[in-house]
């Protein structure tokens, strides 16, 4: 959590009371009107990041937000020894939903089933419905009041208006009309006849609409809650403890007690606790989380290392240069948060429709009132017709339109290995025109494998591989593991090795079956005085030109061959790129790996545009640059170094085989590591969005069709209830069509199997 920095004029505010993206836009607009203030407000994280200058203070910013009708506060710094609190912001909404549902079910049942209408049933309905409309609907009424003060209309306005009109008219009918008399019934008939409405109550409509919409709001709140999960997952990546050298002895302490300038020990397989400089030892460090480079980096005394990267080789002693909030890991967390804050939240479709629909309905209600008064029909009949317009215009199916489609769409997606986080994700998919693909672990396997064995003339390739594999079996280096695995697979059990030695940064040596063997870089052979013939130099150059790592093998002082090792392209990646192109997307390869490797991979899968040798912050900039060109960008990645770019992109897709950080920062998760699932994910998201739009249309259509009846004073409670029931049934049925969504031909394997052990890492959709 960032703390306020008044000196530099930057502060983060926690904003309360926002119910939709238009609220966030309203707060942002108000703050940006202040002199010297630049603000971005994120509805998902409920935070505002504000830069200010001049005489403006944080208190002025808070006062401005409160004048807009929302609450604001500076975030409280976490207490170091505080007990973890189970703070679930969705709990109050869940309680409101559960209570409202229990009270609403009997109200709807009594209104719709005449046999349940006993002598005083209407008074029981009022007793049950009143808490639902007043207390259950409080979030809608509060938001409607805020909107009214700013001359705006959203779905909250429509809900508050419709349920309030239905409830208040029911009170009038019960206490001042004929509806409160013993034995009053709602006959189950759809007859159209004029009535003054004093015998009609609409409590089931008021309670039903409130409960339906509370359910929709709860589903949305749950998905919104995950917005901060990427930051938590990032900070979990760092080492928790560190072995510090103090007075010549090793002491194990929590990582937050490590100070700049102190030396600490990193054993093989351990995470490096902080950014620093190696003072002793040599090893290979797996820095792929930062660079995306699949080949570990060789380090020795004087080389810089980064916290949270993994020591893959020998023992290192490191002097800390940056700790805590100054490390690259912490900076990456800030990058992710800034990307999330800067990402425009999509205004709900229902809010956009309501912004037009509410003023039209109000105008129709006033026109109806004026017409009937002018027609000398009497004040009660005129008010009946006007209120009936407000009641019928509030469609309860509106609350089901998004949640039902999302529920069915995400359920079908889960069956296919595609997890959709929330409704706002779907808005971006239709407009996406560019897909940025990370290389390592996304287009490629992310694991080094042996690609080729090139022996000198007269040398047997399998014999060469058997010698190299036996020797490399003693090393933990990923390239060595790739050679050893290939040798075991192709030549059988590996032979024993005598006199094994690891030459730091160069390779390994040892004796296999009485033969002295060297495996490593050209520098190792040169140091030992072993000449490399021209044909092997050509083979080495050719391998490196193709983006592969060349490993030389010498036996008994003679160079015997070259092994080419690389991060292999997944078999399905070329097909996946073709499918993405067929969806109208322009693919771009983005990687921290070197340009030669990147171009070789791009050529193999059919990508023309390549951006290589970029750090995590450069990946974010690359995405921003594409967005500045007017492109709508989808990003597919799997690593920690992709997290900020995934958050920045209009649509982030994470491979489920990747890191939890990437998964949390993304909008869609592809459970399997098969890129073909990306095309199906975008297709499913687009189809789900189309169903939501269809649902919204029909949610309004049934009720709009009944508005003329209401204006004519011909609406009875059964017609109002039937319109609401039909629209709800249609919306649910329409959503169920998503169960028939099928992956592209040949993609069955990309989307059905779930790798073992990955479920826990993937957030529920």
């Amino acid at each position: 959590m960032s703390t306020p920095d008044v000196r530099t004029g930057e502060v983060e505010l926690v904003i309360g009371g926002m119910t939709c993206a238009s609220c966030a836009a309203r707060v942002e607009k108000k703050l940006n009107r202040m002199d010297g203030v630049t603000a971005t407000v994120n509805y998902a994280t409920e935070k505002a990041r504000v830069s200010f200058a001049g005489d403006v203070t944080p208190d002025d910013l808070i006062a401005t937000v409160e004048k807009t009708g929302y609450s604001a506060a500076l975030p409280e710094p976490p207490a170091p020894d505080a007990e973890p609190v189970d703070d679930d912001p969705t709990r109050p909404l869940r309680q409101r939903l559960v209570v409202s549902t229990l009270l609403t079910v009997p109200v709807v049942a009594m209104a719709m089933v005449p046999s349940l209408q006993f002598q005083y049933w209407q008074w029981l309905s009022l007793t049950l419905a009143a808490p639902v409309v007043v207390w259950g609907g409080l979030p809608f009424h509060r938001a409607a009041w805020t909107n009214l003060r700013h001359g705006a209309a959203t779905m909250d306005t429509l809900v508050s208006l419709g349920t309030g009109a239905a409830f208040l008219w029911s009170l009038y009918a019960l206490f001042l009309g004929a509806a409160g008399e013993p034995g009053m019934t709602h006959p189950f008939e759809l007859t159209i006849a004029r009535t003054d409405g004093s015998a009609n109550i609409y409590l089931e409509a008021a309670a039903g609409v409130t409960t339906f919409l509370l359910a929709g709001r709860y589903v949305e709140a749950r998905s919104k809650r995950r917005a901060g999960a990427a930051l938590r997952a990032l900070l979990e990546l760092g080492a928790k403890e560190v072995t510090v050298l103090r007075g010549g002895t090793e002491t194990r302490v929590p990582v937050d007690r490590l100070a700049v300038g102190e030396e600490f020990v990193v054993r093989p397989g351990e995470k490096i606790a902080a950014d620093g400089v190696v003072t002793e030892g040599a090893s290979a460090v797996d820095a792929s989380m930062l660079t995306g480079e699949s080949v570990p980096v060789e380090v020795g005394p004087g080389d810089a290392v980064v916290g949270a990267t993994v020591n893959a080789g020998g023992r290192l002693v490191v002097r800390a240069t940056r700790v805590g909030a100054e490390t690259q890991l912490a900076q990456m967390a800030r990058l992710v948060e800034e990307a999330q804050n800067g990402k425009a939240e999509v205004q709900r479709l229902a809010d956009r429709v309501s912004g037009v629909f509410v003023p039209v309905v109000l105008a129709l209600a006033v026109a109806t009132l004026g017409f009937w008064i002018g027609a000398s029909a009497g004040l009660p009949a005129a008010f009946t017709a006007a209120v009936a317009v407000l009641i019928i215009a509030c469609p309860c199916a509106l609350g089901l339109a998004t949640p039902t489609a999302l529920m069915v769409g995400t359920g079908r997606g889960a069956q296919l290995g595609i997890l959709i986080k929330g409704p706002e994700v779907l808005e971006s998919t239709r407009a996406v025109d560019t897909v940025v693909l990370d290389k390592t672990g996304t287009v490629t396997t992310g694991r080094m494998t042996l690609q080729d064995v090139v022996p000198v003339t007269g040398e047997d390739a399998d014999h060469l591989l058997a010698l190299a594999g036996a020797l490399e079996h003693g090393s933990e280096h990923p390239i060595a593991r790739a050679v050893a695995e290939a040798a075991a697979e192709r030549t059988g059990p590996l032979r024993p090795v005598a006199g094994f030695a690891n030459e730091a940064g160069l390779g390994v040596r040892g004796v296999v079956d009485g033969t002295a063997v060297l495996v490593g870089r050209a520098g190792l052979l040169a140091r030992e005085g072993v000449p490399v013939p021209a044909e092997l130099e050509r083979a080495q150059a050719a391998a490196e030109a193709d983006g592969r790592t060349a490993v030389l093998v010498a036996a008994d002082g003679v160079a015997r061959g070259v092994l080419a090792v690389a991060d292999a392209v997944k078999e399905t990646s070329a097909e996946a790129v073709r499918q993405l192109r067929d969806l109208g997307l322009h693919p771009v390869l983005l990687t921290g790996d070197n340009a030669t490797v990147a171009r070789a991979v791009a050529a193999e899968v059919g990508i023309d545009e390549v951006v290589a040798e970029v750090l995590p912050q450069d990946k974010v900039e690359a995405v921003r640059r594409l967005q500045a060109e007017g492109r709508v960008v989808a990003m597919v990645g799997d690593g920690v170094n992709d997290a900020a770019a995934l958050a920045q992109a209009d649509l982030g897709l994470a491979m489920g085989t990747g890191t939890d950080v990437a998964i949390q920062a993304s909008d869609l998760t592809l459970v399997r590591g098969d890129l073909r699932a990306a095309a199906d994910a975008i297709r499913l998201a687009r189809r789900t969005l189309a169903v939501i739009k269809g649902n919204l249309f029909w949610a309004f259509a049934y009720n709009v069709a009944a508005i003329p009846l209401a204006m004519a004073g011909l609406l009875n409670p059964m017609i109002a209830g039937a319109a609401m029931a039909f629209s709800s049934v249609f919306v649910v049925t329409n959503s169920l069509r998503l169960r028939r969504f099928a992956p592209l031909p040949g993609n069955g394997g990309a989307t059905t199997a779930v790798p073992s052990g990955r479920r826990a890492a993937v957030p529920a959709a």
Side-chain angles (χ1 to χ4, degrees):
M1 186 181 290
S2 53
T3 54
D5 187 351
V6 181
R7 179 175 51 80
T8 60
E10 283 195 11
V11 74
E12 186 177 80
L13 298 177
V14 177
I15 310 293
M18 296 191 295
T19 59
C20 62
S22 57
C23 297
R26 198 173 297 139
V27 175
E28 188 173 299
K29 191 174 178 183
K30 204 81 169 177
L31 286 171
N32 283 323
R33 278 184 182 162
M34 298 174 71
D35 289 336
V37 172
T38 305
T40 57
V41 179
N42 188 333
Y43 168 57
T45 58
E46 296 185 333
K47 288 179 182 177
R49 186 174 289 277
V50 190
S51 301
F52 55 95
D55 298 328
V56 179
T57 67
D59 288 339
D60 295 333
L61 300 172
I62 291 170
T64 298
V65 174
E66 287 175 346
K67 281 180 197 166
T68 315
Y70 305 91
S71 66
L74 296 170
E76 296 179 9
D81 300 319
E83 289 291 319
V85 180
D86 178 25
D87 184 19
D88 180 1
T90 64
R91 186 181 291 113
L93 192 54
R94 183 170 66 244
Q95 291 169 345
R96 210 177 284 266
L97 172 61
V98 169
V99 172
S100 297
T101 302
L102 292 174
L103 295 175
T104 299
V105 169
V107 173
V108 173
M110 284 188 289
M112 303 301 285
V113 182
S115 62
L116 296 178
Q117 294 170 5
F118 56 91
Q119 191 169 14
Y120 291 104
W121 72 275
Q122 67 270 47
W123 295 103
L124 177 60
S125 286
L126 176 64
T127 306
L128 296 174
V132 177
V133 177
V134 177
W135 174 76
L138 191 60
F140 306 111
H141 305 318
R142 197 184 286 132
W145 173 244
T146 303
N147 291 329
L148 180 65
R149 287 171 54 197
H150 296 94
T154 66
M155 193 174 85
D156 294 314
T157 313
L158 181 59
V159 173
S160 183
L161 199 62
T163 56
F167 184 68
L168 292 174
W169 185 262
S170 299
L171 290 179
Y172 162 76
L174 284 167
F175 287 99
L176 301 176
E181 295 175 1
M184 186 278 284
T185 60
H186 274 177
F188 195 79
E189 56 186 28
L190 301 179
T191 53
I192 296 174
R194 184 159 297 144
T195 169
D196 67 1
S198 63
N200 298 334
I201 59 172
Y202 298 93
L203 293 169
E204 80 288 351
V209 168
T210 302
T211 303
F212 274 136
L213 284 151
L214 278 174
R217 194 61 57 87
Y218 175 64
V219 170
E220 186 179 7
R222 281 188 61 202
S223 70
K224 194 177 78 168
R225 188 187 171 206
R226 301 190 187 102
L231 302 179
R232 292 193 295 272
L234 246 179
L235 298 174
E236 285 293 312
L237 277 179
K240 303 295 182 289
E241 291 187 321
V242 57
T243 305
V244 185
L245 277 176
R246 290 176 179 164
T249 60
E250 296 183 5
T251 309
R252 195 82 173 158
V253 298
V255 74
D256 55 8
R257 294 190 189 168
L258 179 67
V260 172
E262 282 193 302
E263 290 191 337
F264 59 93
V265 176
V266 189
R267 296 184 178 84
E270 284 186 341
K271 289 179 181 177
I272 296 172
D275 296 0
V277 176
V278 177
T279 59
E280 184 185 316
S283 181
V285 172
D286 180 0
S288 58
M289 62 162 273
L290 278 178
T291 63
E293 178 86 48
S294 45
V295 181
V297 180
E298 304 288 346
V299 297
D303 290 331
V305 290
V306 178
T309 55
V310 179
N311 178 13
R315 178 181 182 271
L316 293 174
V317 178
V318 180
R319 185 178 69 255
T321 56
R322 288 186 295 192
V323 298
E326 300 304 313
T327 62
Q328 279 202 41
L329 181 67
Q331 288 170 15
M332 284 176 65
R334 281 196 291 277
L335 267 178
V336 172
E337 187 170 24
E338 284 166 16
Q340 286 183 332
N341 280 338
K343 190 171 180 177
E345 289 296 328
V346 185
Q347 189 183 13
R348 284 197 299 259
L349 277 169
D351 284 333
R352 294 208 296 273
V353 174
S354 300
V356 176
F357 190 70
V358 170
V360 170
V361 168
L362 285 174
L364 288 175
V366 171
T368 302
L369 181 66
F371 174 80
W372 286 112
I373 290 175
S376 303
L379 213 54
F383 269 109
T384 299
V387 172
V389 170
L390 295 180
I391 294 169
I392 195 61
C394 183
C396 61
L398 201 63
L400 288 171
T402 298
T404 52
L406 194 65
M407 207 181 311
V408 180
T410 52
R412 180 60 181 147
Q415 290 174 341
L416 300 174
I418 301 162
L419 305 182
I420 303 172
K421 281 195 180 172
E424 67 283 353
V425 169
L426 306 172
E427 294 271 17
S428 308
T429 57
R430 185 170 293 282
V432 166
D433 55 24
T434 302
V435 59
V436 175
L437 303 174
D438 168 55
K439 181 186 73 69
T440 308
T442 302
V443 175
T444 66
T445 61
R447 189 169 46 84
M448 303 302 286
T449 54
L450 181 69
Q451 300 289 300
D452 200 8
V453 180
V454 184
V456 292
T457 305
E459 181 71 38
D460 179 64
D462 284 351
H463 176 66
L464 178 71
L465 182 58
L467 290 175
L471 191 56
E472 293 281 42
H473 186 59
S475 172
E476 286 299 308
H477 198 289
I479 290 177
R481 285 204 299 270
V483 173
E485 286 170 9
E489 188 178 324
R490 281 172 54 174
T491 66
L494 299 175
R495 303 170 194 181
V497 178
F500 175 85
N502 192 352
E503 304 291 337
L506 292 174
V508 291
R509 64 165 67 243
V511 179
V512 181
D513 290 346
T515 303
V517 182
L518 294 173
V519 182
R521 301 185 178 196
L524 177 62
L525 273 66
R527 195 183 72 179
E528 299 298 320
V530 178
V532 179
E535 66 172 309
L536 289 188
E537 286 182 343
R538 286 194 297 272
Q540 181 183 356
E544 289 170 352
D546 288 340
R548 299 172 176 179
T549 300
V551 179
L552 291 162
V553 183
D556 289 336
V558 179
R560 306 282 182 167
V562 173
L563 308 179
V565 179
D567 178 9
V569 173
K570 293 176 182 174
E571 292 179 5
T572 57
S573 290
E575 172 66 12
V577 169
R578 188 190 63 73
Q579 290 177 0
L580 291 167
R581 282 188 187 277
D582 289 345
L583 289 172
L585 306 178
H586 171 69
V588 178
L589 189 69
L590 181 66
T591 178
D593 220 334
N594 70 69
T596 304
V597 173
R599 280 195 294 271
V601 170
E604 190 171 338
V605 298
I607 296 176
D608 304 321
E609 191 174 344
V610 179
V611 182
E613 298 178 18
V614 289
L615 292 172
Q617 56 268 37
D618 299 324
K619 286 193 172 187
V620 178
E621 283 307 314
V623 171
R624 284 184 184 144
R625 191 166 60 249
L626 289 167
Q627 289 170 328
E629 292 171 6
R631 302 199 209 178
V632 181
V633 180
M635 165 85 188
V636 188
D638 74 321
V640 177
N641 61 318
D642 302 318
L646 286 166
Q648 176 64 38
D650 299 284
L651 180 69
L653 298 94
M655 309 299 270
T657 49
T659 62
D660 291 358
V661 181
I663 290 167
Q664 299 286 10
S666 67
D667 303 308
L668 295 169
T669 300
L670 314 176
V671 174
R672 281 199 70 186
D674 191 328
L675 190 56
R676 289 179 301 173
D680 285 323
I682 291 173
R683 286 177 58 245
L684 174 61
R686 286 178 176 178
R687 184 80 56 82
T688 306
L689 178 62
V691 168
I692 288 173
K693 286 182 173 178
N695 284 350
L696 288 172
F697 172 79
W698 288 107
F700 282 99
Y702 281 102
N703 297 68
V704 169
I707 285 179
L709 292 177
M711 293 177 71
L714 301 174
L715 184 70
N716 72 40
M718 289 313 299
I719 290 178
M724 293 190 179
F726 280 135
S727 58
S728 298
V729 169
F730 184 91
V731 159
V732 172
T733 307
N734 192 41
S735 297
L736 289 174
R737 292 189 306 121
L738 283 167
R739 291 193 302 185
R740 298 200 296 269
F741 174 86
L744 289 167
N747 281 14
T751 50
T752 46
V754 179
S756 60
R758 287 304 306 166
R759 278 207 181 272
V762 180

